[in-house]
Amino acid sequence: MKSLNVELADRSYPIRIGAGLLADARQYAEVEGRRLKLVTDSNVAPLYLTHVLNALNLKEEDALVLPAGEEHKSWATVERVLDWMLGARLNRDGVLVALGGGVIGDMAGFAAAIYQRGIDFIQIPTTLLAQVDSSVGGKTGVNHPRGKNMIGAFHQPRLVLADTTALRSLPQRELLAGIAEVIKYGMLADSDFFKWLEQRLDDLLVLDTDALTKAIYRSCELKARIVAQDERESLAGGAGPRALLNLGHTFGHAIETYTGYTQWLHGEAVATGLVMAADLSARLGWMSAKDAERCTRLVARAGLPVKPPAGMTPEQFLELMGHDKKVAAGKLRLVLMRGIGLAVVSGDFDKDALQATLEHFTKQ
Amino acid sequence: MKSLNVELADRSYPIRIGAGLLADARQYAEVEGRRLKLVTDSNVAPLYLTHVLNALNLKEEDALVLPAGEEHKSWATVERVLDWMLGARLNRDGVLVALGGGVIGDMAGFAAAIYQRGIDFIQIPTTLLAQVDSSVGGKTGVNHPRGKNMIGAFHQPRLVLADTTALRSLPQRELLAGIAEVIKYGMLADSDFFKWLEQRLDDLLVLDTDALTKAIYRSCELKARIVAQDERESLAGGAGPRALLNLGHTFGHAIETYTGYTQWLHGEAVATGLVMAADLSARLGWMSAKDAERCTRLVARAGLPVKPPAGMTPEQFLELMGHDKKVAAGKLRLVLMRGIGLAVVSGDFDKDALQATLEHFTKQ
């Protein structure tokens, strides 16, 4: 078991990573004696709910099982959670436990953020993506017909338990989608970690506990360091440190929007976005063609897509990228690389190079 | 014009108080050049909307006029505000202006808190209650069928403009309800201010600008000092400094609940609650009978009610007070006084004295 502390002054909290944590009563010492409620979904409940309820000494009625799936990441679902907590008369000392993937974590975190103006919550992420991404940073929220995560809040958990055992039940495609985000951390902030991933990718793919623990730990550590510099993504008008975490995401969002958020998993779209960002960085002469090729190869070896969906055009990319949250005053800013491990936010790049990247990736 | 700064580290903001501020373009320097949207209600719009739009160089379409009244302080209304901002493609650099009383401030503040995980907002409170109470402290939110303000967030404004001229259009009953909260600040934290109120009450009642400016300034200053110690009402399990601001509120909430939140204004219920808290404090020997009598007299002179509604029984009070948010682990805690200007939170008082107070105030 490894443990790290996310340093955010009075909102600091520990992340513990290892095998079997969710069923281990000792892991919940931080909230001993407090009234707890738990939210999970219909996929996760049959697998882990009983273990967690037992470890926390809770009854079945203390858990709310929500329908699984991104399409339920809506205000209506959060309202259901709020009504349920109010009906149970949970007071401001209460704690909400989120057991599940990113959708459950985002919704339960948001419910905790706005329940009686904010109560504590615990994250038990059961997907690799949630363990390395949504469990650090305090972003919570729901989707709106006009966009993903348009309604939400920053609300830090009190504790995160990343149980590597839970990943054994994860569909392979979702495991790979999580690995895309792990690769992202290496590409954006740590060339040694990137090298380690090149060496240990196969161990990750067979769910070796030590490799997983190390990969999750380092990903969380890198993200936590960035979040500590820019907790609310408010520095430099959104182009500060935290924006670096969006490496691959602007291209990725375009793919997700184009495919209606149904065919591609977020991590898959990010994977292709990472490859495209590396390609553009190389075209700009900001990183070597060899390093860009290493990025492409690692993504491909993980069984992740390295090309956008067939039929997507450069024009569609530009149009969909123009609607990205990271567009300031009409100017397209991208997260690019000055080498592996050295991401930068820039709106000041040759637009012809971007056009060349888009053409390269969309040619049939 | 007087100005004070609410000190909350990177969330600090100024409150400016004086005549004619809302129509004065110079007052909005803090948000110059940023995209603004404004929310107000159907009572306030005919009176001040044009002035504010002109000062901010905004068009009519930049304002959303909501139906007036506490019954609209709901999630449905906030959702309308969020949909409208999303429809206008307001981005994270946008600023939301709240022009109106406490209901508008609470809802617009909450919408700003959760719009794309939080954008800046400006408060232009147009009631005395909102100027002295809801414009300091960052509490935002909406009501839920199960209780008032059950859904919400802490979100500090970037700027508050308390325009004393706006109070000229305020119905007399609402002015008095605001004065109840002003009296509360004297009672809980400043005996000199209480004395000043005894001397200048008549000037306040005729809307003397200097008296109003001083009363609002001192109320905000006292509240800001307390809020700075305990921004999220989280210290001592909710029994910390910020709880002192609830002087009179536990009795008051019982009255509001009993009367279904329709017949009594919040400030009126608080006024009676203040008198009851003073009475109980005197019965406990914590303050002199003479000082308790001064409290009763000042509330009465302001034309505010000093008795609960006819027919309410001690048992009903106890039942309704038991459901108050400030109840920790089943123990009733009250804000009481150890003298004028010296409020304390205590669950450790003689329950017979409480019974005597309730009987005294409910006898016909």
Side-chain angles (χ1 to χ4, degrees):
Chain A
M1 201 261 285
K2 283 172 82 76
S3 178
L4 75 97
N5 214 46
V6 180
E7 300 290 350
L8 296 165
D10 58 337
R11 293 175 300 286
S12 301
Y13 63 91
I15 301 178
R16 293 199 280 272
I17 305 148
L21 301 185
L22 63 78
D24 179 358
R26 292 165 305 176
Q27 300 300 329
Y28 302 93
E30 277 89 348
V31 290
E32 213 186 314
R34 293 173 67 181
R35 196 154 167 233
L36 299 163
K37 290 282 165 185
L38 183 149
V39 168
T40 188
D41 73 27
S42 51
N43 286 343
V44 175
L47 300 166
Y48 307 113
L49 180 56
T50 309
H51 299 291
V52 178
L53 290 181
N54 287 345
L56 287 168
N57 212 5
L58 293 178
K59 300 189 188 111
E60 233 174 86
E61 72 203 44
D62 295 316
L64 180 66
V65 181
L66 299 171
E70 175 95 19
E71 68 272 27
H72 298 290
K73 187 176 162 181
S74 63
W75 173 258
T77 310
V78 167
E79 200 166 26
R80 216 182 125 189
V81 177
L82 295 169
D83 289 347
W84 174 69
M85 292 195 287
L86 283 165
R89 294 192 171 218
L90 192 70
N91 68 21
R92 292 174 58 201
D93 301 324
V95 180
L96 187 63
V97 180
L99 172 67
V103 170
I104 284 294
D106 283 8
M107 285 200 295
F110 185 43
I114 63 174
Y115 185 76
Q116 297 193 18
R117 298 202 189 92
I119 62 169
D120 284 342
F121 84 113
I122 292 178
Q123 293 261 36
I124 309 178
T126 55
T127 67
L128 182 57
L129 180 59
Q131 289 178 353
V132 299
D133 185 31
S134 33
S135 62
V136 189
K139 284 189 176 179
T140 73
V142 295
N143 300 332
H144 183 277
R146 288 194 184 264
K148 287 184 76 170
N149 299 314
M150 282 290 144
I151 312 297
F154 284 95
H155 192 55
Q156 306 296 341
R158 280 271 297 150
L159 167 68
V160 176
L161 297 180
D163 189 336
T164 55
T165 318
L167 303 182
R168 292 193 196 146
S169 58
L170 202 61
Q172 181 71 0
R173 234 183 116 190
E174 288 196 43
L175 178 75
L176 302 184
I179 286 177
E181 294 277 347
V182 173
I183 292 172
K184 184 192 79 174
Y185 291 110
M187 283 174 64
L188 80 89
D190 186 348
S191 60
D192 286 343
F193 182 48
F194 186 88
K195 233 176 275 170
W196 181 88
L197 286 169
E198 290 179 316
Q199 288 155 11
R200 301 292 301 273
L201 180 67
D202 299 341
D203 295 328
L204 286 179
L205 294 175
V206 297
L207 301 176
D208 174 89
T209 297
D210 286 345
L212 279 175
T213 301
K214 156 93 190 210
I216 296 164
Y217 180 86
R218 187 63 184 148
S219 297
C220 289
E221 193 176 36
L222 289 166
K223 179 162 185 182
R225 191 188 296 164
I226 290 168
V227 167
Q229 292 167 37
D230 186 11
E231 186 179 350
R232 299 177 76 98
E233 204 166 341
S234 54
L235 296 184
R242 193 155 178 164
L244 299 176
L245 297 171
N246 290 319
L247 181 64
H249 279 58
T250 304
F251 294 111
H253 280 163
I255 294 172
E256 287 184 279
T257 309
Y258 178 79
T259 52
Y261 288 96
T262 50
Q263 298 158 58
W264 287 54
L265 295 178
H266 174 68
E268 293 170 339
V270 167
T272 300
L274 290 173
V275 172
M276 294 177 76
D279 180 89
L280 176 52
S281 303
R283 278 178 207 273
L284 292 166
W286 293 7
M287 78 190 286
S288 69
K290 186 169 154 282
D291 278 349
E293 179 53 31
R294 283 172 68 199
C295 296
T296 307
R297 202 177 315 130
L298 186 59
V299 170
R301 271 180 60 205
L304 286 159
V306 294
K307 287 196 73 171
M312 212 175 157
T313 66
E315 293 67 38
Q316 286 165 336
F317 258 106
L318 287 172
E319 160 74 14
L320 295 171
M321 290 162 74
H323 283 92
D324 193 272
K325 256 189 295 181
K326 286 165 286 299
V327 177
K331 190 177 179 185
L332 179 63
R333 280 188 308 215
L334 288 174
V335 188
L336 296 168
M337 278 170 287
R338 296 258 176 202
I340 289 175
L342 273 177
V344 290
V345 181
S346 178
D348 187 20
F349 55 85
D350 180 359
K351 297 300 175 293
D352 291 342
L354 172 61
Q355 186 66 31
T357 291
L358 294 178
E359 280 170 13
H360 173 72
F361 277 86
T362 55
K363 68 169 185 267
Q364 297 303 315
Chain B
M1 201 258 284
K2 284 172 83 77
S3 178
L4 74 99
N5 214 45
V6 181
E7 300 291 351
L8 296 165
D10 59 336
R11 292 175 300 286
S12 300
Y13 63 92
I15 301 178
R16 293 198 279 274
I17 304 146
L21 302 185
L22 63 79
D24 178 0
R26 292 166 302 177
Q27 301 300 329
Y28 302 93
E30 277 89 348
V31 290
E32 214 185 314
R34 294 173 67 180
R35 193 150 170 239
L36 300 162
K37 290 281 166 186
L38 184 149
V39 167
T40 188
D41 73 28
S42 51
N43 286 342
V44 174
L47 299 167
Y48 307 113
L49 180 55
T50 309
H51 299 291
V52 178
L53 290 180
N54 287 344
L56 287 167
N57 213 2
L58 293 178
K59 299 187 191 115
E60 233 174 86
E61 72 205 43
D62 295 316
L64 180 66
V65 180
L66 299 171
E70 175 95 18
E71 68 272 28
H72 299 289
K73 187 176 163 181
S74 63
W75 173 258
T77 310
V78 167
E79 200 166 26
R80 217 182 124 189
V81 176
L82 296 168
D83 289 348
W84 174 69
M85 291 195 287
L86 284 164
R89 294 191 170 222
L90 192 70
N91 68 19
R92 291 175 58 201
D93 301 323
V95 180
L96 187 62
V97 180
L99 171 66
V103 170
I104 284 295
D106 283 8
M107 285 200 296
F110 185 43
I114 63 174
Y115 185 75
Q116 298 193 18
R117 299 201 189 93
I119 62 169
D120 285 342
F121 83 112
I122 291 178
Q123 293 260 35
I124 310 179
T126 56
T127 66
L128 182 57
L129 180 60
Q131 291 179 352
V132 299
D133 185 31
S134 32
S135 62
V136 189
K139 285 190 177 179
T140 72
V142 294
N143 300 331
H144 182 278
R146 288 194 185 263
K148 287 186 76 170
N149 298 313
M150 283 290 144
I151 312 298
F154 285 94
H155 192 55
Q156 306 295 341
R158 281 270 297 149
L159 168 68
V160 175
L161 298 180
D163 188 335
T164 54
T165 318
L167 304 183
R168 291 192 198 145
S169 58
L170 201 61
Q172 180 71 0
R173 236 184 113 188
E174 288 197 40
L175 177 75
L176 301 185
I179 286 178
E181 293 278 346
V182 173
I183 293 172
K184 183 193 79 173
Y185 291 111
M187 282 172 64
L188 80 90
D190 186 348
S191 60
D192 285 343
F193 182 47
F194 186 88
K195 232 176 274 170
W196 181 89
L197 286 170
E198 290 180 314
Q199 289 155 9
R200 301 289 303 272
L201 180 68
D202 298 341
D203 295 328
L204 287 178
L205 294 175
V206 296
L207 300 177
D208 174 89
T209 298
D210 286 345
L212 279 176
T213 302
K214 156 92 190 212
I216 297 164
Y217 180 86
R218 187 62 185 150
S219 297
C220 289
E221 192 175 36
L222 290 166
K223 180 163 184 182
R225 189 187 298 164
I226 290 169
V227 167
Q229 293 168 35
D230 186 11
E231 186 178 350
R232 299 178 77 98
E233 203 167 340
S234 54
L235 295 183
R242 193 153 177 167
L244 298 177
L245 296 170
N246 289 319
L247 181 64
H249 280 59
T250 303
F251 294 110
H253 279 162
I255 293 172
E256 286 183 280
T257 310
Y258 178 78
T259 52
Y261 288 96
T262 50
Q263 298 158 58
W264 287 53
L265 295 177
H266 174 68
E268 292 170 338
V270 167
T272 300
L274 291 173
V275 172
M276 293 176 78
D279 179 89
L280 176 52
S281 303
R283 275 178 209 273
L284 292 165
W286 294 7
M287 78 189 287
S288 69
K290 186 169 153 282
D291 278 349
E293 178 53 30
R294 282 172 69 200
C295 295
T296 308
R297 203 176 315 130
L298 186 59
V299 170
R301 272 180 61 205
L304 286 159
V306 294
K307 286 196 74 171
M312 213 175 156
T313 65
E315 293 67 39
Q316 286 165 336
F317 258 106
L318 287 172
E319 160 75 13
L320 295 170
M321 290 163 72
H323 284 91
D324 192 273
K325 259 190 295 185
K326 285 165 286 298
V327 178
K331 189 176 178 187
L332 179 63
R333 278 189 309 215
L334 288 174
V335 188
L336 296 168
M337 280 172 285
R338 295 255 177 203
I340 289 175
L342 274 177
V344 291
V345 181
S346 177
D348 188 22
F349 54 84
D350 181 358
K351 296 300 175 293
D352 292 340
L354 172 59
Q355 186 66 30
T357 291
L358 295 177
E359 280 172 12
H360 174 71
F361 277 86
T362 54
K363 69 169 184 267
Q364 298 302 313

